[in-house]
Amino acid sequence: MSEEKSAVPAWEQRFRAARVSLPDWAEDAPDRALYVSNSSGTYEVYAWDRATDTHRRATDRPNGTTDAELSPDGEWIWWFDDSDGDEYGVWRRQPFAGRPEGAAGPDEEAVPGLAPSYDAGLALGRDGTVVVGRSTDEDGTTLHLRRPGAAEAVEIYRHAEYGGVGDLSHDGTLLAIDHTEHGDAMHGAIRVVRLSGDGTAVPGEGAAPGDAAVHGDEAVHGGEAAVPTVAELDEVTGHEHPRGVACLGFAPVDGDTRLLVAHQRTGRWEPMIWDVATGKETALALRDEQGRELPGDLSAQWRPGARALLIEHEYEARSELFSYSLDEGVLTRLDTPRGTVGGATPRPDGTVEFLWSSAADPSAVRSTAGTVVLRAPGNVPPGSVPVEDVWVDGPGGRVHALVQRPAGAGEGPFPTVFEIHGGPTHHDSDSFAAGPAAWLDHGFAVVRVNYRGSTGYGQAWTDALRERVGLIELEDIAAVRGWAVESGLADPDRLVLAGGSWGGYLTLLGLGVQPELWSLGVAAVPVADYLTAYGDEMEALKAIDRTLFGGTPEEVPERWTASSPLTYIDRVAVPVYISAGVNDPRCPIKQIDNYVEGLERLGKPHEVYRYDAGHGSLVVDERIKQLRLEIDFVRRHLGGLPVGDNRADTEK
């Protein structure tokens, strides 16, 4: 171990260290892959030729790029081009190998004629078929089909409610559409339609009444392509207890009409196989070597050849992988360390590659063959401390929290940051995160709460977040706060409520609803004025909000008012720090400005930082600047803090 200290503090090294996402490979050219990395200082898309082990940065934009797909033949990189992080744009493409030397001009528009929109999915067929999903405030969800050789794409689906592209069958004849036409955006349904060979109407058998460019009351004719419905899977309409279903993908075999589907019939997510041609449903007996049913949520994807599935098991903030033989009905655990699998992909050679990390160990792309497949260039970032699992009795059941204590700082009580996750349909996990590690370096304990509304604890836990939006989560957070103080972990006079996105929303709401519980608030890209936010946010989030509240602001105004941080702004009793992206389509800047103006009018101590990006930044220097400002704010206002390790650690 080296005794030398770097001039860069350990927390900053973690942010600056290059990292990579799990590579996605081309279906018919498995040696060609894409991944996202921050090795240039900004998160961008990289092309990786595995046969020659050559890497090329495919995108280069000031605010970064993360959304990209490879065509099945590996010849083309498709990437989504928005403006400064606003998530509103068009798909472009470039050759996998890059443009010939001396070739000029920007990447070409991949599907000319489609106006900019929010992304609602993309499917690229092996024969050149393309299905583009779009979402706009004016049109709702529209899907557009372009067949090989067609001059332009034709609209094949339109509905005001949110939906998107599910998957295209291996032979390009069937399209699965994920939709929420029933109006419940938390529980999706699936429609499978048959596509013609030339993008025109499909005559004859199978067409249901009203089938046209869309299905249902909003059918639009006028010469667009008709798409006959082959099958429907809707467990919301007419059901007293709605259950969601979601498309996981068609079997990767020509002519195979089996669709892998996730469902909530048993009160959690688990997979089944649905033959959309015959209607046959096949449940999967997913039990471990001792014959026990796996607890928690389950997902799956086809392994090459469609004779087996890769099963992803998520339970109590950790995950693991299994292989399931469809012929034998046998589930076999794959060797993955304790922690979190951040994505996995089965390879044609029989191995599985996965992105793994734990709270203590930085991420790397590993293989079940026992090797590290891909690690970003440069030094491995310093590690951090492991998490402890804590279960606390809350008003809606036991609440799971992940707790980290600063290394070598004694028994406590510690100044403590409650770092609240976004979503809300998300959860904190035992995975590596540079933000919490930075607070630990500065002498803080970190507590992360998987409140009601979080995923990974069953459908009832997730669905509990209805009507009393925000207030329910704060009850669970308060219960964990009570444990943290009573156990001696947290200093009750030095408690910071913090979070980003939905976590930022809960921070501002908590400062007003529970002013006696918190010493400071740090909110990044938050919802601050819910009624104004609803009017300005992207359509997909409006649909989620209508579902959460049980109606629009006009229909149930009392619920929206009760859940808006702006309602309680006069009760805020501690300093608050807010950061916001001026191009954010999810938590728009106007509603944050309304809240800040309220703080100013009331003379409440606060600081605001606005930056030129969307819902967060993809630029490493900007992320470091934001966290440095947050740490500085807390240290100035909290007082009595230890010096902490703001320098660099020795090698770990």
Side-chain angles (χ1 to χ4, degrees):
M1 178 183 295
S2 170
E3 297 299 325
E4 295 183 5
K5 293 273 189 176
S6 167
V8 180
W11 72 266
E12 188 174 330
Q13 289 182 45
R14 295 189 192 96
F15 277 90
R16 293 201 181 281
R19 62 196 66 200
V20 294
S21 69
L22 180 73
D24 289 324
W25 48 277
E27 187 175 13
D28 295 331
D31 281 340
R32 293 189 167 189
L34 294 181
Y35 62 88
V36 174
S37 176
N38 65 336
S39 58
S40 69
T42 301
Y43 285 85
E44 296 287 2
V45 177
Y46 286 74
W48 178 24
D49 187 330
R50 301 177 64 141
T52 60
D53 196 26
T54 56
H55 302 253
R56 178 182 69 84
R57 186 169 65 187
T59 58
D60 184 8
R61 301 193 302 154
N63 285 296
T65 314
T66 58
D67 295 333
E69 288 195 32
L70 263 179
S71 60
D73 60 8
E75 292 296 321
W76 292 95
I77 298 170
W78 289 58
W79 59 275
F80 193 72
D81 183 14
D82 66 353
S83 299
D84 299 326
D86 66 359
E87 302 181 44
Y88 199 81
V90 299
W91 286 98
R92 298 189 181 277
R93 71 174 195 166
Q94 64 173 265
F96 178 84
R99 299 205 175 276
E101 186 174 351
D107 288 355
E108 63 187 50
E109 195 169 332
V111 185
L114 294 183
S117 68
Y118 297 113
D119 174 33
L122 175 71
L124 303 178
R126 297 168 67 239
D127 64 351
T129 295
V130 177
V131 181
V132 178
R134 301 172 65 253
S135 174
T136 66
D137 291 343
E138 299 77 20
D139 298 328
T141 301
T142 59
L143 303 187
H144 304 260
L145 169 69
R146 189 184 71 183
R147 284 298 199 183
E152 58 184 19
V154 294
E155 183 180 298
I156 59 171
Y157 177 90
R158 174 186 291 258
H159 201 279
E161 295 292 347
Y162 182 68
V165 177
D167 192 31
L168 195 61
S169 64
H170 199 63
D171 58 11
T173 62
L174 299 173
L175 174 69
I177 302 171
D178 288 314
H179 71 84
T180 59
E181 294 173 10
H182 43 58
D184 183 343
M186 292 183 67
H187 302 98
I190 302 172
R191 176 174 302 120
V192 178
V193 299
R194 178 172 291 112
L195 303 178
S196 69
D198 58 2
T200 59
V202 183
E205 55 186 313
D211 280 330
V214 300
H215 181 92
D217 293 339
E218 301 185 19
V220 176
H221 299 270
E224 298 290 2
V227 283
T229 297
V230 174
E232 294 265 8
L233 193 58
D234 178 354
E235 304 197 345
V236 177
T237 304
H239 290 255
E240 182 180 357
H241 302 291
R243 305 292 192 188
V245 293
C247 172
L248 296 177
F250 279 103
V253 176
D254 272 350
D256 197 325
T257 55
R258 292 177 299 166
L259 182 66
L260 196 58
V261 170
H263 67 87
Q264 294 180 309
R265 291 175 177 174
T266 58
R268 61 167 185 170
W269 284 109
E270 58 182 279
M272 72 171 183
I273 295 174
W274 176 36
D275 190 325
V276 302
T278 66
K280 179 182 177 182
E281 297 177 0
T282 304
L284 305 176
L286 301 178
R287 298 180 179 272
D288 64 16
E289 290 87 346
Q290 286 74 44
R292 298 170 299 191
E293 184 178 80
L294 297 175
D297 286 337
L298 297 160
S299 186
Q301 54 184 298
W302 297 98
R303 300 197 71 157
R307 303 287 296 275
L309 303 175
L310 175 63
I311 304 295
E312 300 170 47
H313 175 224
E314 193 172 82
Y315 181 55
E316 295 185 350
R318 294 173 180 85
S319 51
E320 58 185 343
L321 299 175
F322 294 82
S323 186
Y324 181 73
S325 168
L326 292 172
D327 293 334
E328 302 171 1
V330 175
L331 187 70
T332 305
R333 189 184 187 281
L334 304 180
D335 186 17
T336 56
R338 179 175 170 83
T340 295
V341 175
T345 180
R347 294 282 292 167
D349 64 2
T351 62
V352 173
E353 296 176 354
F354 58 97
L355 184 68
W356 178 89
S357 73
S358 72
D361 303 296
S363 63
V365 179
R366 303 187 178 201
S367 169
T368 51
T371 60
V372 173
V373 176
L374 181 63
R375 195 190 294 276
N379 296 327
V380 176
S384 188
V385 299
V387 295
E388 307 168 28
D389 295 276
V390 171
W391 291 89
V392 177
D393 289 331
R398 289 207 312 157
V399 184
H400 187 201
L402 302 176
V403 175
Q404 291 172 284
R405 304 169 189 263
E411 294 299 318
F414 304 106
T416 301
V417 175
F418 273 67
E419 183 79 26
I420 309 303
H421 73 71
T425 48
H426 182 58
H427 68 271
D428 277 314
S429 62
D430 181 6
S431 57
F432 195 74
W439 291 111
L440 291 161
D441 285 0
H442 285 81
F444 290 81
V446 175
V447 178
R448 290 177 284 170
V449 182
N450 284 331
Y451 49 75
R452 277 172 288 172
S454 301
T455 54
Y457 301 88
Q459 182 185 354
W461 191 257
T462 302
D463 286 1
L465 183 55
R466 292 293 188 101
E467 299 185 2
R468 295 181 61 248
V469 177
L471 304 173
I472 288 173
E473 302 96 294
L474 290 179
E475 292 174 352
D476 293 343
I477 293 167
V480 176
R481 180 207 179 273
W483 165 85
V485 172
E486 292 167 11
S487 69
L489 170 77
D491 181 343
D493 296 323
R494 296 184 294 175
L495 283 173
V496 181
L497 186 59
S501 192
W502 196 266
Y505 158 61
L506 293 177
T507 294
L508 296 185
L509 188 64
L511 296 182
V513 174
Q514 307 165 329
E516 71 284 355
L517 299 187
W518 309 106
S519 308
L520 286 177
V522 177
V525 292
V527 174
D529 168 7
Y530 221 135
L531 277 75
T532 300
Y534 177 79
D536 292 345
E537 68 190 5
M538 59 201 304
E539 178 57 37
L541 295 185
K542 289 181 181 179
I544 291 288
D545 284 340
R546 290 192 296 270
T547 299
L548 289 174
F549 285 100
T552 66
E554 293 74 26
E555 293 167 336
V556 286
E558 70 285 353
R559 295 177 187 170
W560 289 76
T561 299
S563 294
S564 178
L566 188 62
T567 300
Y568 309 95
I569 193 170
D570 60 332
R571 300 182 60 192
V572 173
V574 299
V576 56
Y577 178 89
I578 300 173
S579 60
V582 298
N583 305 313
D584 191 343
R586 298 172 182 266
C587 298
I589 193 67
K590 180 181 176 182
Q591 51 95 26
I592 294 173
D593 288 342
N594 291 348
Y595 188 87
V596 171
E597 289 169 6
L599 292 174
E600 293 172 346
R601 184 177 62 256
L602 294 167
K604 306 283 188 179
H606 66 281
E607 295 179 18
V608 182
Y609 173 65
R610 299 174 180 85
Y611 55 93
D612 186 18
H615 197 61
S617 175
L618 298 176
V619 179
V620 172
D621 282 342
E622 178 61 36
R623 291 188 175 191
I624 292 170
K625 178 181 180 180
Q626 291 178 25
L627 187 54
R628 184 177 283 117
L629 289 171
E630 292 177 1
I631 292 170
D632 177 66
F633 174 84
V634 170
R635 293 185 64 84
R636 283 188 286 109
H637 288 277
L638 207 55
L641 296 175
V643 174
D645 185 7
N646 196 28
R647 299 164 293 123
D649 282 346
T650 54
E651 291 182 6
K652 295 186 178 180

